[in-house]
Amino acid sequence: MRGITGNLTRSILTIVMIVIGVGSVITLVAVGNGASKQVNDQIAALGASAITVSPGFSSTGTGASLQPEDADAIRSSRAATSISSVAPQVSAEKRAVAGSRSVSITVVGTTDAYFTITNAVIAQGRALSASDAIGGGDVTVLDAKSASALFPDGSAVGQTVLVGSTPLRVVGVLADGGAAQQMFGSGRTIYAPIDRVRASITGYGSLSALSVGAVSPAAVGQASAEVRAVLALRHGSVAFDLSTPDQLRSVLGGSATSLNGMLAGVAAISLLVGGIGVTNVMLLTVRERTREIGIRKALGARPLPIAGQFMIEATTLSIVGGALGVGAAFLVTRVPINGIPPVIEPTMVLLAAGLSIGIGIVFGTYPAVRASRMDPVQALRVGV
């Protein structure tokens, strides 16, 4: 301890370097974990059993198209035993007007099944009903962003939105962060019965997509195969793109893993700098205590106790810095960072604590060995 407290300022600066290194490792990895959790939560919000079918392209470059009859065929197929529901969709970018407010939105024509398939959460009012779809009613459900943009001063339910020249009465508002914003990007989205949207907004063209609900999350693979079989029967070899929660999780999860690796690498550099600081401090300590080492060796001290003394000092600096770094990381990660709530895993804390001890051992070894191998005569001569 005398070596550490002998030059307290230098020791504190070394500990600060370890604190920054350990704190950075835990914090950045926690941010990466938080990003992964956010991705998984968003995928779960889309519906764990949801399959999205999009138009694909053939080898000749001719674009395939989805028709309302495709939805009927999948829904009525006797072979589609793993499929619970199908929701066709058409969409278009339009301007929506409510009173003096006018905003750009994505209008989606669909059926009531869409809200079940995507696990949409209704914050106010209700979702589209089966009767709305059958009658092509002039009703709409807004996502949270659309509702706040068009009706910032009060409830949107019961109000009227003009989409193009089509008036739609608002019957419900989705919860913020629900499936709507995730399926159609970060913009504003409103939903209306598909017959109404095709009749007055998009026209009677092909569908934008199909949302297919599997009977359970475990049946998504089988349901996908059934969808492909029905579409192959109707369109031949023309390919369609099917995306499932597992595929999204795999793609986005891979990106999150790469992000975690990059963040851990950046943090490891900070830890390396801290370790170099430990080596520097211990080399200076050995130099300052050269005479003491010479006297001890002249009196018969063996190399191992001398090396052990400096190893203990180096490891103590690292352990203190590591403990403070863990505490600093816990404080920093109590609030979201760039909108991402960090997630600290116990294994990461144990690993960082182990790294701090390892830094003391690894970076303290060279100064300790140098001290233990010092010639007593030379040490006494230099230390005079």
Side-chain angles (χ1 to χ4, degrees), residues 280-301:
N280 186 44
V281 166
M282 294 314 300
L283 284 174
L284 289 173
T285 302
V286 169
R287 185 176 179 180
E288 289 172 352
R289 296 165 64 183
T290 300
R291 180 174 176 77
E292 175 192 327
I293 295 170
I295 293 173
R296 288 183 62 188
K297 297 203 76 172
L299 293 175

Side-chain angles (χ1 to χ4, degrees), residues 31-88:
V31 170
N33 291 337
S36 298
K37 183 176 182 301
Q38 206 169 51
V39 167
N40 288 328
D41 289 346
Q42 288 174 347
I43 292 173
L46 296 178
S49 304
I51 303 166
T52 301
V53 185
S54 305
F57 296 92
S58 69
S59 57
T60 61
T62 304
S65 61
L66 287 166
Q67 301 297 328
E69 292 76 14
D70 292 322
D72 297 335
I74 295 171
R75 192 183 294 115
S76 60
S77 174
R78 293 185 177 180
T81 56
S82 299
I83 295 172
S84 61
S85 54
V86 182

Side-chain angles (χ1 to χ4, degrees), residues 205-218:
S206 58
L207 300 178
S208 304
L210 289 174
S211 286
V212 179
V215 292
S216 70

Side-chain angles (χ1 to χ4, degrees), residues 23 27-28 31 325-337 340 342 344:
T27 302
L28 293 180
V31 170
V326 170
F330 270 100
L331 286 177
V332 171
T333 55
R334 289 179 67 85
V335 295
I337 298 175
I340 299 174
I344 293 181

Side-chain angles (χ1 to χ4, degrees), residues 62-63 74 84 86 91 102 144 163 176 197 313 350 352:
T62 304
I74 295 171
S84 61
V86 182
S91 61
S102 174
V163 180
D176 189 19
V197 173
E313 290 180 10
L350 293 175

Side-chain angles (χ1 to χ4, degrees), residues 105-118:
I105 51 96
T106 300
V107 57
V108 177
T110 188
T111 65
D112 57 303
Y114 173 83
F115 298 90
T116 304
I117 293 171
T118 58

Side-chain angles (χ1 to χ4, degrees), residues 122-206:
I122 301 296
Q124 299 174 33
R126 63 173 176 84
L128 297 179
S129 65
S131 59
D132 293 330
I134 294 172
D138 297 328
V139 295
T140 184
V141 173
L142 311 184
D143 71 349
K145 287 187 176 180
S146 300
S148 61
L150 292 168
F151 304 101
D153 301 324
S155 173
V157 177
Q159 304 292 329
T160 298
V161 176
L162 192 64
V163 180
S165 59
T166 304
L168 300 172
R169 182 171 54 85
V170 180
V171 296
V173 177
L174 295 179
D176 189 19
Q181 293 169 21
Q182 292 148 22
M183 288 290 286
F184 296 97
S186 58
R188 307 176 184 95
T189 308
I190 71 172
Y191 300 85
I194 186 168
D195 290 345
R196 170 55 58 194
V197 173
R198 297 185 81 202
S200 58
I201 298 175
T202 63
Y204 291 95
S206 58

